[in-house]
Amino acid sequence: GNEINPYTYEVLTESARFILDRIDIRPKVAIICGSGLGSLAHGMENIVEFPYGEIPHFPVSTVAGHAGKLVVGHLAGTPIVCMQGRFHFYEGYPLWKCAMPVRVLKLMGVEILIVTNAAGGLNSEYKVGDVMLIKDHINFPGFSGLHPLVGPNDERFGPRFPPMNTAYDKQLRIIGKQVASELGMSDFVREGVYTMLGGPNFETAAELRLLRILGVDAVGMSTVPEVITARHCGMRVFAFSLITNEAITEDDVEEEASHEEVVETGQKRQEDLKRFMTYLVPCIQRE
Ligand code: NOS
């Protein structure tokens, strides 16, 4: 927890330089693929792949359903860089390590970050398979001082005290909703508040009822550290959750949350999400 963040500006510049030296495009848009959503990258063309282990200073991911590579290429003609596999707090990484790739993307020239995740739906109107555009978050780990920006602040990345009330870009959300509408997806695209818990266990019924009272619509174990780090260094953020499972808030029921259900829902929605992304990315790029 108290380990000092060793990823200085100079160190991360080496990671970015390694990638830039091996590609001849300069993507302005990056995508982080959530659990079971790795196939978002499958529609890409002219790809160059970087397994995380080959990029200097990169951590390596351990969760099933996460491939662990950076993919550079085109999506619908738009240059993008895609993170297939992310780093979670529950894997044992400090939050600055979970968010480290975001700064590498920034140093590669990325301006807009699209963050995706799998999450449990708390809002009683949500159904499994819904897509929730994130309009705000509650940084639960932050309440206890677990935060990706803890430690000395390097102003070359951003300010000591970054604002976070505008984290989820309003204009990008408008575009997201327009795209959903044009693709006939409005009936399962919503907008709501995400929260991150540390995991790795799924929540108890009492915890989920607490979160619901607090105004949380979807709960997961990722995204928040990456978004905070992206906003700190001035990137614009668009994020959404795939509601992969329904929060079980009643006591004494037989059903349980499972990672299998999460991955399965991801697979069921993968074609829709690919279509959504393929249409969205060129619109966002023009922004
Ligand atoms: N995930 C969830 N995290 C918390 N609560 C949920 O209901 C939930 N559903 C999906 C676990 O399957 C993986 O998917 C997300 C978590 O971020 C975790 O990485």
Side-chain angles (χ1 to χ4, degrees):
N2 288 327
E3 206 185 326
I4 296 271
N5 182 350
Y7 299 126
T8 60
Y9 196 91
E10 290 73 20
V11 165
L12 296 178
T13 300
E14 283 178 20
S15 310
R17 178 64 25 223
F18 177 88
I19 299 159
L20 291 176
D21 281 347
R22 286 159 181 79
I23 57 176
D24 48 21
I25 55 173
R26 294 292 176 261
K28 296 260 172 284
V29 178
I31 304 172
I32 301 179
C33 300
S35 296
L37 305 175
S39 70
L40 289 178
H42 291 173
M44 289 170 66
E45 289 164 341
N46 316 316
I47 59 168
V48 184
E49 298 188 320
F50 300 90
Y52 293 154
E54 290 177 10
I55 307 170
H57 316 299
F58 240 69
V60 175
S61 65
T62 62
V63 200
H66 281 263
K69 60 187 180 203
L70 207 78
V71 187
V72 182
H74 289 87
L75 186 66
T78 306
I80 62 164
V81 46
C82 195
M83 274 182 70
Q84 273 193 294
R86 59 145 58 90
F87 305 103
H88 300 86
F89 185 66
Y90 59 73
E91 293 173 79
Y93 304 113
L95 292 172
W96 43 257
K97 201 173 222 176
C98 299
M100 170 274 197
V102 172
R103 286 182 169 173
V104 174
L105 295 171
K106 168 72 181 183
L107 294 174
M108 286 172 60
V110 168
E111 294 169 5
I112 297 182
L113 185 64
I114 302 178
V115 191
T116 73
N117 64 54
L122 272 158
N123 186 316
S124 54
E125 292 182 4
Y126 291 3
K127 291 192 289 293
V128 168
D130 282 357
V131 173
M132 183 190 87
L133 309 188
I134 302 179
K135 66 174 179 198
D136 204 349
H137 74 223
I138 296 175
N139 177 17
F140 251 100
F143 288 11
S144 59
L146 290 171
H147 194 288
L149 302 179
V150 159
N153 185 62
D154 188 333
E155 295 277 335
R156 286 173 292 181
F157 287 119
R160 171 78 289 187
F161 301 109
M164 214 45 66
N165 60 310
T166 55
Y168 298 89
D169 194 282
K170 189 175 165 202
Q171 196 52 39
L172 298 182
R173 276 185 288 126
I174 290 173
I175 294 173
K177 283 180 274 191
Q178 267 166 2
V179 166
S181 154
E182 279 163 38
L183 296 177
M185 294 182 174
S186 297
D187 54 327
F188 65 88
V189 174
R190 329 303 207 111
E191 201 172 27
V193 175
Y194 176 85
T195 199
M196 173 202 174
L197 300 187
N201 65 276
F202 291 108
E203 299 71 33
T204 67
E207 286 164 350
L208 290 166
R209 290 194 300 265
L210 171 74
L211 294 176
R212 189 178 274 170
I213 291 169
L214 298 179
V216 173
D217 296 301
V219 55
M221 308 171 193
S222 69
T223 299
V224 168
E226 295 146 346
V227 169
I228 289 172
T229 302
R231 290 302 294 152
H232 178 250
C233 65
M235 293 161 97
R236 294 174 70 190
V237 171
F238 177 81
F240 66 81
S241 298
L242 174 65
I243 304 301
T244 50
N245 55 294
E246 206 177 309
I248 302 165
T249 53
E250 304 119 84
D251 295 319
D252 301 319
V253 295
E254 292 289 311
E255 41 176 340
E256 293 179 326
S258 76
H259 188 59
E260 289 67 42
E261 183 185 7
V262 169
V263 172
E264 198 183 299
T265 308
Q267 278 157 3
K268 281 188 192 148
R269 265 284 182 246
Q270 72 180 1
E271 286 311 314
D272 287 321
L273 288 176
K274 238 188 272 179
R275 216 154 58 86
F276 181 66
M277 288 303 237
T278 305
Y279 204 97
L280 178 82
V281 163
C283 296
I284 279 186
Q285 158 86 6
R286 282 195 290 275
E287 251 292 287

